[in-house]
Amino acid sequence: ILTVVGLILALMAPYLKRGGNAYSNVLIVLDNSGSMNYSYNEEKTRFEEEIDRATSYVDTLGDHAKITVISVDNKANMVCSNVEDKKEVKTKLEAIEPSELPGDASAALSMVESIVKQWQDYNAVIITDRGIDLGNVKADVVNLSSDTKNMSCDYVSYGYEEGSLVAMAKVTNYNAEAVNTDVNLYGDKDIIDIANVEVPANSSTVV
């Protein structure tokens, strides 16, 4: 098995385009994984900021836009589908709760791709706190993590104990403040495990 550890860091500034009233179909993907419970600023968690932004975005949409919402932690969940009533959509948004599960926003991509291929006119928005490989999916990504951090994955080792794969990785944080991130363990192209780790400032952690 070819094993690779991916260090998922913020790659994009948090930005959500307006002018959504031009679209007939809108898909909103919301990350409700455990890391969204962390602070966005002194007043809000990332999850609270995410819901506020999604709600504000819904307000910009046209009255006849059909809105679909998906929440995702380690799996994708349909919140609502093709709803034109913006009040109903906002009520659904307010009912979403953050989980304590590790995040894998890519888990929603197959569902997203399946949905949007039915539409000729659409806008897809993904709000998360991690970098995402969109592949063939056309979407706007809003990353609510901090600015890009200077970190490295220094080594990966793995072996087998009683027939089970055991892997270790050293992650180094070169920043002047602690950084919380996910470390993804891949076997070939599949995610085997996801570990959330907080690495102290100017330090290394083995996970």
Side-chain angles (χ1 to χ4, degrees), residues 12-98:
M12 301 179 64
Y15 175 69
L16 182 56
K17 293 190 295 185
R18 296 307 189 193
N21 56 0
Y23 298 102
S24 300
N25 300 282
V26 173
L27 176 62
I28 303 173
V29 181
L30 301 177
D31 183 345
N32 68 325
S33 65
S35 63
M36 297 299 287
N37 291 298
Y38 293 108
S39 296
Y40 176 72
N41 55 32
E42 294 182 357
E43 299 178 351
K44 298 178 183 177
T45 65
R46 295 172 185 175
F47 179 77
E48 290 169 337
E49 177 69 15
E50 171 182 55
I51 296 301
D52 285 350
R53 292 198 187 203
T55 300
S56 296
Y57 179 64
V58 168
D59 284 333
T60 72
L61 300 175
D63 291 337
H64 299 294
K66 295 181 175 64
I67 306 167
T68 298
V69 178
I70 297 172
S71 66
V72 56
D73 39 33
N74 64 346
K75 63 182 185 300
N77 302 284
M78 183 67 72
V79 176
C80 64
S81 178
N82 295 322
V83 177
E84 293 188 14
D85 186 339
K86 291 192 284 188
K87 183 177 180 180
E88 178 182 346
V89 173
K90 289 189 285 186
T91 298
K92 295 285 188 180
L93 291 175
E94 292 172 359
I96 301 172
E97 296 183 357

Side-chain angles (χ1 to χ4, degrees), residues 94-166:
E94 292 172 359
I96 301 172
E97 296 183 357
S99 75
E100 298 295 334
L101 297 171
D104 179 17
S106 63
L109 290 182
S110 59
M111 181 182 290
V112 170
E113 191 168 11
S114 176
I115 292 172
V116 299
K117 73 180 182 181
Q118 306 174 44
W119 299 335
Q120 293 183 344
D121 172 30
Y122 76 90
N123 188 45
V125 174
I126 302 174
I127 309 180
T128 182
D129 63 350
R130 67 196 70 241
I132 303 174
D133 180 3
L134 292 175
N136 296 323
V137 175
K138 181 182 177 181
D140 298 322
V141 178
V142 179
N143 195 317
L144 297 182
S145 184
S146 305
D147 294 336
T148 302
K149 302 299 183 181
N150 184 15
M151 299 185 71
S152 66
C153 183
D154 299 328
Y155 69 79
V156 180
S157 64
Y158 67 93
Y160 291 89
E161 292 184 3
E162 299 180 354
S164 297
L165 176 67
V166 178

